[in-house]
Amino acid sequence: MSSYVFPIKTALAFFPLLALLITAPFLIYYYRKYGTLGKKRSLILYSFVFYLLCAYFLVILPLPSIQEVAAMTGPKYNLHLFQSWQNFTSQTVLRINEPSTYLPAMRQSVFLEPVFNILLLFPFGVYCRYYFRFSWKKTIAASFFLSLFFELTQLSGLYFIYPRPYRLFDVNDLLHNTIGGTFGYICAPLFTFFLPTRSELDEESLEKGHKVTLLRRAVAAVIDWFVIDLTTGLVQLVLALFPATSFLADTVKLRYHLGWFTLQVVVYFMILMYFWQGQTVGKKVVRIKVEETGRPRVRFISLVKRYSFFYLLMFIINQIFQFSVTHLNTTNHVLFIAYSILALISFGILLLFVFNLLYALIRRSPRLFHEKASRTYTRSTLEKKEVEHGNI
């Protein structure tokens, strides 16, 4: 039993890190398709990820030392199909007419090993039918290829980390895993009848997708700044190739210098957004756009107000706060008082910004101070017909 408990404990330890890594792709995909991820869908998807992690660790753990594996001389693979059935019939203590032999037979490895391999992919078949809406043919194929991935992982010695396989590649495992996935597909309704259907999840997501949450906007912002930093890096690389522009390359390195930061904000969030009618790369990906109250199209001056308040003002205030704090060690009492006042004022403004975010989260109202000041707002670009027909 400990050989099964240890991989599951390991999966529990690794799951938070894996969940963190896959959260961004999940959010981008589902914001793009439905406008939101949703709590129920999140629970189902992350449970599927956790299941796959457990299955993977059950296949590869525990890990032996490289010296132990190098000393192994046993077979690396078994291509004899139905070998497990032959082992069971020849080695089992089971006697059909003797009930007292049933329990001892179920404790034998010749019984437990095939059953474990069937159960390993049983949940996979359930997920394939319930959430991914696979046909039984696709489920069989998906179960086979997932099992093949596990077996090749073993055959390659954990992707050639080990000098040889430390677990046997067995075609019978492929058979049992595929049977398990097929059984999971057949039995899926017994386990999922109390859960919302995939269609209901999609309809709920599309309906809620018209509300633009702060998280959705944050994902767009992360994508936008990734694009900006990537562009900055490419510009720096190009400038560095030409000695005559080396001084410009040095300037670009100061990507958080006020002048360079201002240029980034003005070009990307004001000029480009104006020509893209209130959208950026990030906003297009998650399907949102900036609009102005009472106008068919957001004006350039409104974008200037919006992002000057949000990015430039906050950047300047933050720079003032850092500058003031770093100079509080001065021995001049007048300067100390001046720096203290500057630090308190700037910290207070930053604190107000944090409170504004918290207030918006609590009230579930994503309109922040810079939007009110510029009379702009963020709306979803999902069309009503997409909600009505569930068609993206």
Side-chain angles (χ1 to χ4, degrees), residues 126-306:
V126 175
Y127 280 106
C128 283
R129 180 171 181 175
Y130 166 65
Y131 185 77
F132 298 104
R133 295 190 287 196
F134 282 2
S135 65
W136 65 271
K137 291 181 180 180
K138 285 185 178 180
T139 301
I140 291 174
S143 300
F144 174 81
F145 283 112
L146 179 60
S147 176
L148 183 62
F149 167 72
F150 289 157
E151 293 301 312
L152 291 177
T153 298
Q154 295 175 336
L155 183 63
S156 65
L158 196 56
Y159 320 118
F160 307 104
I161 294 175
Y162 290 96
R164 55 155 288 155
Y166 62 93
R167 288 192 177 184
L168 188 69
F169 174 97
D170 194 341
V171 293
N172 295 282
D173 292 346
L174 286 172
L175 174 64
H176 298 145
N177 290 158
T178 306
I179 290 173
T182 306
F183 280 168
Y185 177 88
I186 295 170
C187 300
L190 299 176
F191 296 92
T192 61
F193 71 94
F194 58 91
L195 296 175
T197 65
R198 171 64 187 272
S199 298
E200 290 172 344
L201 288 173
D202 292 347
E203 290 173 6
E204 181 185 14
S205 296
L206 286 167
E207 185 178 347
K208 291 181 178 179
H210 278 282
K211 186 175 182 180
V212 182
T213 62
L214 288 175
L215 180 58
R216 188 173 174 184
R217 291 169 58 180
V219 171
V222 169
I223 296 172
D224 285 332
W225 280 104
F226 174 78
V227 171
I228 291 172
D229 284 345
L230 181 63
T231 305
T232 299
L234 291 174
V235 170
Q236 182 178 336
L237 179 62
V238 171
L239 293 177
L241 295 176
F242 301 95
T245 60
S246 60
F247 71 97
L248 290 174
D250 292 336
T251 303
V252 174
K253 289 178 183 178
L254 300 174
R255 59 180 61 187
Y256 295 113
H257 184 273
L258 178 59
W260 180 248
F261 183 80
T262 302
L263 181 63
Q264 290 175 316
V265 172
V266 169
V267 171
Y268 192 84
F269 292 103
M270 297 177 190
I271 298 175
L272 291 181
M273 186 180 285
Y274 174 73
F275 286 107
W276 286 347
Q277 300 185 13
Q279 286 191 299
T280 58
V281 174
K283 286 178 172 56
K284 284 180 180 290
V285 169
V286 302
R287 303 185 75 172
I288 59 177
K289 68 182 300 185
V290 174
E291 293 195 344
E292 185 175 356
T293 305
R295 292 185 178 273
R297 176 179 176 177
V298 63
R299 294 176 299 170
F300 179 73
I301 187 64
S302 299
L303 292 175
V304 172
K305 291 178 182 178
R306 176 186 174 97

Side-chain angles (χ1 to χ4, degrees), residues 316-334:
I316 293 170
I317 296 298
N318 182 58
Q319 292 290 89
I320 292 173
F321 175 71
Q322 292 185 20
F323 175 80
S324 303
V325 170
T326 55
H327 287 78
L328 285 177
N329 58 353
T330 180
T331 56
N332 188 313
H333 294 293
V334 176

Side-chain angles (χ1 to χ4, degrees), residues 7-8 10-12 14-15 18-19 22 42-59 116-128 132 139 142-144 146-147 150 176-182 184-185:
I8 295 174
T10 307
L12 282 170
F14 275 86
F15 177 70
L18 181 61
I22 65 175
S42 301
L43 183 62
I44 293 168
L45 287 173
Y46 282 113
S47 68
F48 178 64
V49 171
F50 178 67
Y51 154 69
L52 288 179
L53 192 62
C54 287
Y56 181 74
F57 282 142
L58 283 167
V59 168
F116 165 77
N117 282 310
I118 290 173
L119 292 177
L120 183 66
L121 261 63
F122 183 89
F124 183 73
V126 175
Y127 280 106
C128 283
F132 298 104
T139 301
S143 300
F144 174 81
L146 179 60
S147 176
F150 289 157
H176 298 145
N177 290 158
T178 306
I179 290 173
T182 306
Y185 177 88

Side-chain angles (χ1 to χ4, degrees), residues 329-371:
N329 58 353
T330 180
T331 56
N332 188 313
H333 294 293
V334 176
L335 287 178
F336 176 80
I337 294 173
Y339 289 139
S340 299
I341 293 173
L342 277 177
L344 288 172
I345 293 174
S346 56
F347 179 73
I349 295 173
L350 292 173
L351 206 58
L352 284 173
F353 176 67
V354 174
F355 284 151
N356 184 235
L357 283 174
L358 292 175
Y359 180 77
L361 285 171
I362 294 171
R363 293 291 302 273
R364 295 187 178 181
S365 173
R367 200 171 189 195
L368 302 176
F369 73 97
H370 65 291
E371 296 176 294

